[in-house]
Amino acid sequence: MIDPRILRDDPDRVRASQRKRGASESAVDDALAADKARREAIATFENLRAEQKKMGKQVAQAKGEEKAALLAQVKELAAAVKEAEAAQVVAEESWATALKAIPNLTAEETPAGGEDDFVLIETVGEIPTFDFEPRDHVELGRMLGAIDLERGAKVSGSRFYFLTGVGAELEFALINLAMEQAREAGFTQVIAPALVRPEAMAGTGFLDQVDDGVYRIEGDDLYLVGTSEVPMAAYHSDEILDAASLPLRYAAFSSCFRKEAGSAGKDTKGIIRVHQFEKVEMFVYTTLEESYAEHARLLAWEKAFLDKLELAYRVIDVAAGDLGPSAARKFDCEAWIPTQGKYRELTSASNCTEFQARRLDIRQRASTGSTTGTATAPVATLNGTLTAITRAIVAILETHQQADGSIRVPKALQKWLGREVLTPIAG
RNA sequence: GGAGACGUCGCCUAGUCCGGUCUAUGGCGCCUCACUGCUAAUGAGGUUUGGGUUAACAGCCCAUCGAGGGUUCAAAUCCCUCCGUCUCCGCCA
């Protein structure tokens, strides 16, 4: 959620952000009104409660008739306190609801508008050309014995697949390469749970997507994560971190599950859009001040990884309307997919500033204490994909294919794959 | 899955049986100051978190004893539900 103080002191800034996203400006006025009502309810309750406490002490000391008289008096007060407290709870809840309806404030640099209003930051690598008709990843995967879509559908349904043989090997190689890079950059490697409680989902802003994006486990109040951003954001929830320990950098591996209910008919072929895949996600806790530089670093690490895969890609500054509720700014890296003739998202880096940290109550405290006490402040959270397996495989197969359907293995992957070329096993 | 024990303001801990003087005890750690060439030791003070009010990180007030309900004039303390930890049993990669 956004900083309630900014909402109160500078509502125009929030309105401007809403405009940029194409989101409702009246949400700002609703939240402001709710804030006012909340503070009034708090004042009413607290005054009554203070009086009740004072009288309670008199009751404890009084004896006999005096006590009986006080009791009768304070009983009435107790009813009023109860009522005021209930009113306060209601006011707090509607305030929280109104506040949570407002997505994160967008960064100044974030372009206004929707999906097509992104700003191109740079294009890297040369778009591959072929002196033969390139095959798509479905065909190549079949020839290599790497991707089994038919049996995926038979066993689990559409948008499922088996990675077999070199397909499975490719996944492990990509993960090893990603984790090697993460380790060298100082990240702590993590295997994260793929099932989380509703609070974790809500804290990262994904619970709203529960109908068309997120799987819920029937009978248990658990959700399958769509990204390890969820468990990693909730990892330090309800904690106060030592400022000296920041930044905390994690590289988390987990399976990711997505319903894709809203994307019927999109990417129905192959493994571009699937219900389950594995991913290595960078997740960073740092200060708000440092978050902007860290965002740039995450992007640099993503680019370094795509460079190792020897892919052609572009980097875009995603427009406000396409950010998702948590992010203030987001860079997508999109790799060229030859048979589609366009760039497709492979990785993505978001700066969520304090938005998630406020929801999940993750704060920092300066390590040098003083007598006047140390102030706490929400941390900033950022996330960036190091590698999302299925799309990485699509890009690698299609980009590095040769006329006979064999695949030239990028140098950095050779060490982990143990060979320089992947050879078809079937025509 | 069954039985039991437990959860107190960084860590440990008193308090819970028998509700009010709990404005939550003490120790450790940490912070500030004093003393001393420096450090250590010693002494004094401070040290949960959030919110309201406010010019204020001053003062005052409210909440907070795992979380949420309930009983009561009054709950760390009594009752219920949930979460978590530990021990034993059963099952199982």
Side-chain angles (χ1 to χ4, degrees):
Chain A
M1 75 188 116
I2 64 165
D3 186 349
R5 209 154 292 257
I6 290 178
L7 174 73
R8 203 184 297 166
D9 298 341
D10 193 4
D12 284 338
R13 190 175 151 201
V14 185
R15 286 195 188 93
S17 169
Q18 291 293 91
R19 260 198 306 282
K20 226 163 140 180
R21 283 178 178 270
S24 134
E25 281 185 65
S26 66
V28 178
D29 299 304
D30 292 348
L32 276 171
D35 184 39
K36 187 159 177 269
R38 161 182 164 269
R39 283 147 70 197
E40 284 166 4
I42 287 172
T44 304
F45 163 71
E46 287 188 352
N47 288 336
L48 285 167
R49 176 68 178 156
E51 199 180 330
Q52 185 192 31
K53 280 177 75 170
K54 258 182 222 152
M55 292 190 72
K57 272 173 200 167
Q58 292 172 23
V59 171
Q61 277 163 11
K63 297 243 157 68
E65 278 180 34
E66 193 193 345
K67 182 161 187 166
L70 273 171
L71 268 180
Q73 206 182 333
V74 89
K75 254 183 194 180
E76 283 179 39
L77 187 56
V81 168
K82 204 164 207 174
E83 206 174 303
E85 186 173 18
Q88 185 198 328
V89 168
V90 170
E92 296 258 21
E93 275 170 4
S94 34
W95 171 70
T97 305
L99 200 60
K100 281 177 185 167
I102 300 174
N104 199 1
L105 297 179
T106 52
E108 234 171 88
E109 300 89 339
T110 299
E115 195 176 345
D116 301 324
D117 297 312
F118 64 84
V119 168
L120 178 66
I121 293 180
E122 64 175 319
T123 305
V124 180
E126 276 188 32
I127 289 178
T129 53
F130 302 92
D131 49 14
F132 57 92
E133 187 62 32
R135 300 174 170 93
D136 71 8
H137 74 276
V138 176
E139 175 66 4
L140 291 166
R142 188 189 61 76
M143 291 169 71
L144 293 161
I147 305 169
D148 191 336
L149 289 161
E150 290 79 8
R151 291 196 176 93
K154 177 177 76 177
V155 173
S156 300
S158 69
R159 293 203 196 280
F160 284 95
Y161 56 94
F162 284 75
L163 291 183
T164 55
V166 292
E169 286 186 64
L170 255 173
E171 162 147 357
F172 290 127
L174 282 164
I175 288 163
N176 279 318
L177 185 63
M179 282 303 193
E180 180 183 56
Q181 177 178 316
R183 185 175 54 245
E184 283 167 0
F187 282 75
T188 302
Q189 299 182 30
V190 176
I191 312 287
L195 281 165
V196 298
R197 295 183 162 176
E199 301 87 75
M201 265 307 165
T204 37
F206 284 105
L207 201 56
D208 303 336
Q209 298 176 30
V210 82
D211 287 334
D212 52 64
V214 173
Y215 287 103
R216 182 168 186 274
I217 303 297
E218 191 147 354
D220 294 278
D221 208 6
L222 289 171
Y223 298 85
L224 280 165
V225 301
T227 160
S228 29
E229 173 190 346
V230 175
M232 291 322 293
Y235 186 62
H236 285 300
S237 57
D238 299 319
E239 290 183 27
I240 300 176
L241 305 172
D242 184 350
S245 70
L246 302 176
L248 288 168
R249 296 194 177 103
Y250 299 102
F253 169 88
S254 85
S255 289
C256 304
F257 301 88
R258 300 183 179 186
K259 270 188 180 173
E260 300 291 354
S263 45
K266 260 194 222 168
D267 301 310
T268 49
K269 235 181 127 193
I271 57 170
I272 286 262
R273 194 177 295 274
V274 290
H275 290 311
Q276 176 182 349
F277 60 96
E278 281 70 48
K279 191 151 70 81
V280 176
E281 182 83 358
M282 299 178 283
F283 196 92
V284 181
Y285 295 86
T286 187
T287 62
L288 181 64
E289 297 71 37
E290 263 300 307
S291 70
Y292 310 103
E294 186 71 13
H295 196 198
R297 281 189 283 269
L298 286 181
L299 177 59
W301 280 314
E302 289 186 11
K303 287 170 60 187
F305 192 79
L306 294 174
D307 289 340
K308 285 177 189 172
L309 301 185
E310 297 167 30
L311 299 174
Y313 61 94
R314 67 178 186 183
V315 181
I316 64 167
D317 204 338
V318 175
D322 202 25
L323 279 181
S326 294
R329 196 181 188 195
K330 174 153 107 174
F331 302 124
D332 278 0
C333 293
E334 302 180 324
W336 180 260
I337 305 299
T339 61
Q340 295 198 359
K342 57 184 175 192
Y343 289 100
R344 298 297 308 265
E345 178 185 340
L346 243 64
T347 65
S348 169
S350 298
N351 183 358
C352 296
T353 59
E354 299 176 338
F355 190 82
Q356 291 176 333
R358 279 183 196 281
R359 285 193 176 196
L360 291 163
D361 193 20
I362 309 165
R363 288 166 286 165
Q364 49 153 331
R365 188 208 316 272
S367 47
T368 51
S370 72
T371 37
T372 51
T374 50
T376 63
V379 298
T381 59
L382 300 99
N383 62 83
T385 326
L386 243 194
T387 184
I389 299 304
T390 37
R391 290 195 181 179
I393 289 178
V394 171
I396 289 168
L397 295 187
E398 294 209 10
T399 300
H400 299 307
Q401 64 177 300
Q402 301 176 109
D404 61 353
S406 66
I407 310 294
R408 193 180 59 77
V409 177
K411 235 187 203 75
L413 270 182
Q414 288 176 8
K415 166 182 164 192
W416 297 106
L417 219 41
R419 68 199 90 167
E420 294 173 17
V421 177
L422 304 179
T423 318
I425 58 172

